[in-house]
Amino acid sequence: MSEALKVAEIFGEDVFNDTVMQERLPKKVYKDLKKIIEEGKELDLATADVIAHEMKEWAIEKGATHYTHWFQPLTGATAEKHDSFISAPLPNGKVLMSFSGKELIKGEPDASSFPSGGLRATFEARGYTAWDCTSPAFVRHDAAGATLCIPTAFCSYKGEALDQKTPLLRSMQAINEQSLRLLRLFGNTTAKKVTPSVGAEQEYFLVDAEKFEQRKDLIYAGRTLFGAMPPKGQEMDDHYFGTIRQRIAGFMKDVNIELWKVGVASKTQHNEVAPAQHELAPIYGEANVAVDHNHLVMQTLKRIACQHGMKCLLHEKPFAGVNGSGKHNNWSLTTDDGKNLLEPGKTPHENVQFLLVLTCILKAVDKHAALLRESAADVGNDHRLGANEAPPAIISIFLGDQLEDVIRQLVDTGEATHSLKGGRLETGVSTLPDLAKDATDRNRTSPFAFTGNKFEFRMVGSRDSISGSNVVLNTIVAEAFAEACDVLEKADDFDMAVHDLIKKYATEHQRIIFNGNGYADAWVEEAERRGLPNIKSMVEAVPALVTEDTVSMFEKFKVFTKAELESRVEIKYENYSKAINIEARTMIDMASKQIIPAVIKYTKSLADTVLAVKEAGVDASVQAGLLKETSDLLAATKSALDALSAVTDKAAAMDEGEEQARFYHFDVVPAMETLRTPVDKLEMIVDKEAWPMPSYGDLIFEV
Ligand code: ADP
Ligand code: MG
């Protein structure tokens, strides 16, 4: 049997997908469920009972003993509580395997310790999980055996969102409604649904598990908090797209097989810029499924790495001095009959629609730049965004030469009469060029780039959920579409009105377009001149969630209530403070229990050497010099350690909230850096044998 055939066979074998449903469910139930999936109606209990029964039978055949409602609370990770299928023992002492419709569609995990930002306290303590039947259930095989996983949303008793999925589903509804409105205006009467399509490219690092275990910072914080740069970093660019080493290749193979089985279309894999850094990209899918799949990707990478004696680091910046990891969130809008709204058209008519969609997106991103930036704010991402690494913290849009030229013509003259590619098309009102798929070079420094038929949002952190960014993208574009439709639906001369609107949006929002080098200092100045926000850190980004514009938009499209947004703000500050507190305490722990004792031992041996050498009547100045240098750095380390302890204690004693988070950011983080500096210098001096943990070189070059 050929390898290709096997892949086709295993793909989706553990998924309760359409094929399985069609085979197993009674025709009427299947039809009802399909309708619900397509039209977003509620499932009645009788139908749910039938589906649950078939799902259970199927899962048991796959070896499942348990089921779980798999959900995405605001911890950033996924959560699950497992229940076995067994019923209460019967009089004969045996049990049955049972699973009811009620258990399928609704769960009540004891979820009181998930972050709710005060939502549950205000309303009702319980949290509920509800089946998202648009994301298929699957059976996961791991050390726990086989478990039927049911993707669910997680809400409070009154329906407030306590998770990432609920707002995402709401935002998908908003963009669907507004996109359909827009399509109807352009004469499309056939499309019934428009869905955001999302493909997330995932970057990660792999390190040897034994070495990982020797680093408390990796264990507790997921990143190194100390570490001198090895003689070689990524400067040679010899890792990027390089041949994949055998150990890594074996890992990737197993990851792919596991992902394929659960229906994740893992497609591309390659080495990334930094040594030990890699990337995996699946084929894009519907936004909510893509979010679920990205969680599965992250979990699978971690699980399989362990099986190969490695650890997968998903942190945005595991190592200072080499490239960090992110996630490119590719986003487009697809109709149920397969048309992509971001695909430049072949006819003048389609081109006008495309240009309207494009300029609506310019408007949306310009208006809500701070909110979009916030959607990628994450503790670890502070090390990337704005830190001279891909991408900058300033939101701008890369359109490519051809499209930028078209926009320029529209702005300058009111019409675009030619394209750089030379095509020319009459539209009746103005002249618009033929927009061939732009094959010009990619701009890797842009945070939001148009790449032919999709936008690529490159700010998301590698460890973060892509949900938040897609909620924002869907909603801000829905708002822009709605505002355009409000105008166009009333227009007497539609063609003229569209033309004017495209020109208006292009003119008013051209400042957001930037095709140059996003890393250059000149861009920071230029962006400031243009009035674009440059938000350098997570704590400074969070307020964008509750500005007047944000709240009214989210409320209008029923994605978030004000209370939900406020709860998220609270949770974000809390999460930030907790994360930095852990990092600071880990540094304190490592410095006091490992590094300082090791250096003291080393100075003692140096001092002994100095004496012995002197006794032998030989010049001991090198040894003495080393001893002095080491002792001075040791003193600097100790005083920085004391300062960090004091400032961390002060931070921890503050009330939770914005002020505390800002104190962690502006006071504790710099104190951590002050401690790191002498320690990294010491690492370069102290005998390698005496250093208490594996070095950067050991970690990233010896996987
Ligand atoms: P790149 O453009 O970054 O070189 P690809 O073209 O392979 O790489 O796409 C990267 C990611 O974008 C993949 O996950 C891919 O499935 C996804 N993607 C491709 N087309 C679309 C689209 N129309 N909408 C959303 N995602 C897409
Ligand atoms: Mg990409």
Side-chain angles (χ1 to χ4, degrees):
M1 202 191 302
S2 81
E3 197 65 23
L5 203 67
K6 270 199 228 153
V7 175
E9 259 174 39
I10 62 170
F11 189 84
E13 73 173 24
D14 289 334
V15 185
F16 196 72
N17 55 23
D18 194 65
T19 313
V20 179
M21 292 196 288
Q22 209 165 353
E23 271 168 25
R24 295 206 166 230
L25 298 176
K27 259 208 183 77
K28 170 148 182 356
V29 172
Y30 171 75
K31 262 200 187 149
D32 287 352
L33 180 61
K34 281 293 273 189
K35 211 167 140 77
I36 286 160
I37 290 172
E38 271 150 27
E39 293 169 18
K41 304 251 158 53
E42 239 179 84
L43 196 61
D44 67 84
L45 211 53
T47 312
D49 272 329
V50 179
I51 300 168
H53 175 78
E54 290 303 330
M55 207 187 261
K56 176 204 75 188
E57 293 295 306
W58 169 83
I60 287 172
E61 283 169 30
K62 301 262 160 217
T65 53
H66 289 69
Y67 71 92
T68 180
H69 276 203
W70 188 63
F71 60 105
Q72 296 156 20
L74 296 170
T75 53
T78 58
E80 45 197 73
K81 182 185 106 185
H82 297 187
D83 280 296
S84 73
F85 288 121
I86 62 168
S87 64
L90 303 171
N92 66 3
K94 297 275 184 195
V95 292
L96 292 174
M97 299 295 262
S98 80
F99 183 50
S100 69
K102 197 163 159 278
E103 287 167 315
L104 167 65
I105 57 180
K106 197 168 173 189
E108 195 184 331
D110 176 16
S112 50
S113 40
F114 289 113
S116 79
L119 273 183
R120 271 199 317 264
T122 331
F123 300 98
E124 160 76 49
R126 273 173 295 177
Y128 289 97
T129 51
W131 183 30
D132 166 18
C133 60
T134 57
S135 181
F138 56 93
V139 168
R140 188 187 54 207
H141 298 268
D142 59 17
T147 308
L148 170 65
C149 299
I150 301 154
T152 54
F154 178 45
C155 296
S156 77
Y157 179 68
K158 292 225 174 137
E160 286 100 355
L162 298 173
D163 68 345
Q164 314 260 25
K165 190 187 264 278
T166 307
L168 179 68
L169 294 173
R170 294 173 182 162
S171 74
M172 288 171 71
Q173 218 163 308
I175 190 74
N176 174 41
E177 279 161 25
Q178 301 309 325
S179 301
L180 285 176
R181 252 179 100 189
L182 189 136
L183 285 175
R184 296 292 180 255
L185 280 169
F186 281 89
N188 180 329
T189 51
T190 49
K192 288 204 280 298
K193 192 175 171 190
V194 177
T195 318
S197 297
V198 170
E201 302 161 59
Q202 176 73 47
E203 291 179 334
Y204 60 93
F205 278 83
L206 287 172
V207 297
D208 186 81
E210 259 177 48
K211 291 178 186 134
F212 173 99
E213 298 298 344
Q214 294 168 52
R215 298 225 29 154
K216 297 252 183 296
D217 45 8
L218 287 178
I219 294 172
Y220 295 129
R223 73 174 180 109
T224 55
L225 298 164
F226 298 104
M229 270 304 285
K232 181 181 171 187
Q234 64 192 43
E235 59 276 50
M236 304 293 286
D237 281 332
D238 50 356
H239 185 69
Y240 191 49
F241 280 45
T243 314
I244 297 167
R245 269 168 294 164
Q246 287 305 294
R247 185 179 189 190
I248 309 297
F251 157 85
M252 286 177 171
K253 178 180 168 217
D254 287 353
V255 166
N256 284 333
I257 291 172
E258 289 301 301
L259 288 175
W260 289 333
K261 281 190 198 162
V262 291
V264 179
S266 174
K267 173 85 174 161
T268 311
Q269 59 200 27
H270 61 78
N271 289 349
E272 257 301 327
V273 179
Q277 192 185 27
H278 310 277
E279 181 181 299
L280 182 155
I283 295 172
Y284 65 96
E286 298 194 355
N288 61 323
V289 178
V291 171
D292 290 354
H293 280 183
N294 182 246
H295 279 292
L296 280 176
V297 165
M298 293 194 282
Q299 288 170 1
T300 306
L301 289 171
K302 292 198 145 199
R303 185 161 53 81
I304 303 298
C306 290
Q307 292 173 5
H308 285 251
M310 296 186 285
K311 286 279 180 180
C312 173
L313 308 179
L314 291 174
H315 195 283
E316 285 79 9
K317 195 74 179 173
F319 305 100
V322 293
N323 210 48
S325 298
K327 211 144 22 194
H328 290 178
N329 187 83
N330 294 273
W331 181 92
S332 67
L333 292 169
T334 316
T335 65
D336 56 338
D337 43 12
K339 293 214 173 61
N340 178 357
L341 269 59
L342 275 90
E343 186 83 59
K346 290 193 185 66
T347 66
H349 199 62
E350 285 171 358
N351 270 341
V352 179
Q353 182 188 306
F354 168 72
L355 282 178
L356 180 65
V357 168
L358 190 76
T359 47
C360 278
I361 294 173
L362 292 184
K363 176 184 166 185
V365 172
D366 185 28
K367 182 173 173 201
H368 296 287
L371 179 64
L372 190 57
R373 188 309 179 200
E374 195 291 323
S375 77
D378 180 53
V379 192
N381 230 6
D382 274 4
H383 300 280
R384 295 174 68 235
L385 305 182
N388 203 18
E389 164 161 350
I394 305 162
I395 296 268
S396 66
I397 299 182
F398 171 81
L399 285 182
D401 293 341
Q402 188 194 15
L403 275 180
E404 196 191 8
D405 178 61
V406 168
I407 298 286
R408 179 87 21 241
Q409 293 177 54
L410 281 169
V411 172
D412 291 346
T413 66
E415 54 183 13
T417 52
H418 62 275
S419 110
L420 287 182
K421 290 239 167 64
R424 205 185 151 111
L425 284 171
E426 298 296 320
T427 63
V429 188
S430 70
T431 326
L432 289 165
D434 182 15
L435 301 166
K437 185 167 168 165
D438 195 341
T440 48
D441 196 23
R442 299 289 179 74
N443 180 333
R444 291 177 56 90
T445 68
S446 176
F448 197 74
F450 185 70
T451 49
N453 62 358
K454 63 186 194 293
F455 273 101
E456 187 167 336
F457 182 48
R458 299 179 174 142
M459 273 191 172
V460 187
S462 48
R463 200 175 37 168
D464 208 2
S465 167
I466 53 169
S467 184
S469 291
N470 286 299
V471 169
V472 169
L473 281 173
N474 295 342
T475 315
I476 64 177
V477 175
E479 181 192 56
F481 282 0
E483 286 166 3
C485 291
D486 287 345
V487 174
L488 296 175
E489 281 164 1
K490 286 194 215 99
D492 296 326
D493 182 340
F494 177 76
D495 288 347
M496 186 62 103
V498 180
H499 173 261
D500 289 351
L501 212 52
I502 291 174
K503 176 169 186 245
K504 180 176 185 298
Y505 291 165
T507 309
E508 287 175 0
H509 302 285
Q510 53 179 314
R511 66 170 186 169
I512 197 75
I513 302 171
F514 179 63
N515 279 357
N517 176 7
Y519 300 166
D521 291 339
W523 169 232
V524 176
E525 286 158 32
E526 166 68 11
E528 195 178 336
R529 205 182 50 71
R530 294 188 190 185
L532 300 177
N534 180 5
I535 303 167
K536 298 200 180 74
S537 66
M538 174 170 168
V539 294
E540 292 161 288
V542 171
L545 272 177
V546 281
T547 61
E548 227 170 86
D549 274 352
T550 305
V551 174
S552 69
M553 173 186 71
F554 278 135
E555 291 205 321
K556 177 172 175 200
F557 293 97
K558 301 194 166 47
V559 173
F560 284 119
T561 62
K562 188 161 190 244
E564 285 172 333
L565 287 167
E566 282 166 350
S567 78
R568 268 154 220 257
V569 165
E570 215 177 284
I571 291 166
K572 292 206 173 200
Y573 285 134
E574 233 177 81
N575 286 349
Y576 182 84
S577 298
K578 282 182 187 157
I580 302 297
N581 189 58
I582 290 170
E583 290 192 350
R585 300 230 181 262
T586 303
M587 285 187 96
I588 293 166
D589 196 81
M590 290 168 77
S592 10
K593 294 195 203 147
Q594 293 184 283
I595 295 162
I596 291 179
V599 178
I600 289 176
K601 255 195 221 152
Y602 180 66
T603 50
K604 171 150 189 330
S605 80
L606 265 181
D608 292 348
T609 311
V610 171
L611 279 183
V613 173
K614 274 190 182 158
E615 236 165 65
V618 181
D619 175 19
S621 61
V622 171
Q623 292 88 333
L626 213 50
L627 178 59
K628 163 132 180 45
E629 200 182 339
T630 311
S631 301
D632 287 350
L633 286 167
L634 182 61
T637 302
K638 180 69 172 80
S639 78
L641 171 64
D642 292 344
L644 179 62
S645 298
V647 78
T648 307
D649 285 344
K650 190 171 163 195
M654 291 169 76
D655 287 338
E656 280 176 355
E658 180 173 1
E659 209 187 317
Q660 184 194 40
R662 290 181 70 91
F663 188 79
Y664 270 107
H665 177 67
F666 289 108
D667 292 82
V668 177
V669 169
M672 287 163 60
E673 276 154 25
T674 308
L675 173 58
R676 180 175 181 146
T677 309
V679 171
D680 288 359
K681 285 190 187 144
L682 280 167
E683 189 184 341
M684 296 301 287
I685 296 174
V686 173
D687 190 345
K688 181 157 175 55
E689 299 298 308
W691 198 250
M693 64 198 77
S695 69
Y696 269 27
D698 301 334
L699 285 163
I700 61 181
F701 283 103
E702 293 174 29
V703 194

